[in-house]
Amino acid sequence: MRLLRLVLALPLLAPAALALAACDDATGIGQAVVLTDTITIGAPSVAADTVPSALDVVSLDQFSIGGGVFPERPAQADQWDVALRLQGGTFSLVPPGAVGLEGRRAGITAPIQGVTFEGLDEAPPSSRFNTTTGVPLAVGNVHVVRSRQYSLGGGVCWQYAKVQPVALDAAAGTATLAVATSARCADTRLSAED
C-alpha cells in the first residue's frame, strides 16, 4: 500500500523538484524574467481619445507587459500603475495615490542618476518610491515603477519596471516609454542574466 502511495505521489512531486532544481541563483527564485517593450501613452487633456493615458507594468503571463490602458474605462479602472499628465509643457507620471486612490502601493522614483537604462540592474529600496505626487519626465532619464498590488494564487504580489522616456511630444500630448518589467512577483532584478 505504501509503494502505491509513493507511485501515485511521484507525478505530484516532480514539478516541485524541477522548480527547486531551477533555483540555482542567489535569490532562490530562479533566473530573472525581464520583459521589454516600447509603449506610447497620452495625457488625457491633450492626446486623442484613442491613446491610452496610463501604464500597466504588470506581466501576469511572463510573456507580455500590460502596456497602455484606459483607467477611465470600468474594465481597466484598477489595471494601471502610473498615469501620464501634462501641465505647462511638462510631462509627469503620477501614481494612483496622487489622484486619491490610496492603498495600492504603486509608486515611481525620481530619476536615477548615473545609470543608463540598460545598466540599471536592480530596483531601489522602497523608501525611494513616490506614491502621492507626480514625477516630471525628461527624455533619457531612467525611473523605476513599482506596480500596484494584485492577487496571485491566494497571496499578494507586485512587480518592478524600469522606465525611460524616449520621446515626449507636447503638441500631441504623448510620451513614448521604453519599459523593462521584472515578470516575477516582488523580484527587484531589472536585467536578465546573460
Side-chain angles (χ1 to χ4, degrees):
M1 187 61 136
R2 288 184 183 157
L3 181 60
L4 179 60
R5 279 190 221 149
L6 179 61
V7 170
L8 292 174
L10 283 177
L12 298 173
L13 296 174
L18 288 174
L20 288 174
C23 294
D24 59 358
D25 66 319
T27 66
I29 58 174
Q31 296 228 346
V33 177
V34 179
L35 307 173
T36 59
D37 202 351
T38 302
I39 300 165
T40 298
I41 58 177
S45 60
V46 181
D49 292 345
T50 57
V51 179
S53 61
L55 178 64
D56 172 6
V57 300
V58 172
S59 172
L60 294 175
D61 60 9
Q62 294 192 2
F63 294 104
S64 63
I65 300 170
V69 295
F70 298 86
E72 63 278 3
R73 295 179 182 170
Q76 297 180 3
D78 291 334
Q79 297 177 357
W80 63 280
D81 303 305
V82 287
L84 187 67
R85 296 293 182 261
L86 177 61
Q87 292 183 318
T90 301
F91 283 99
S92 295
L93 285 178
V94 299
V99 295
L101 299 173
E102 299 297 329
R104 296 192 42 194
R105 196 173 180 349
I108 182 170
T109 65
I112 302 197
Q113 303 298 318
V115 68
T116 64
F117 183 79
E118 294 79 16
L120 181 61
D121 294 328
E122 187 91 13
S126 291
S127 61
R128 301 261 315 264
F129 287 89
N130 180 341
T131 61
T132 58
T133 59
V135 173
L137 298 180
V139 171
N141 282 351
V142 180
H143 303 267
V144 176
V145 171
R146 181 181 57 212
S147 80
R148 68 204 178 273
Q149 291 181 332
Y150 61 92
S151 296
L152 182 66
V156 176
C157 194
W158 60 91
Q159 294 173 349
Y160 294 92
K162 54 185 173 182
V163 175
Q164 180 180 46
V166 294
L168 299 173
D169 185 340
T174 59
T176 301
L177 309 169
V179 180
T181 293
S182 178
R184 293 188 188 272
C185 181
D187 189 351
T188 60
R189 296 173 295 172
L190 295 172
S191 294
E193 292 92 1
D194 294 331

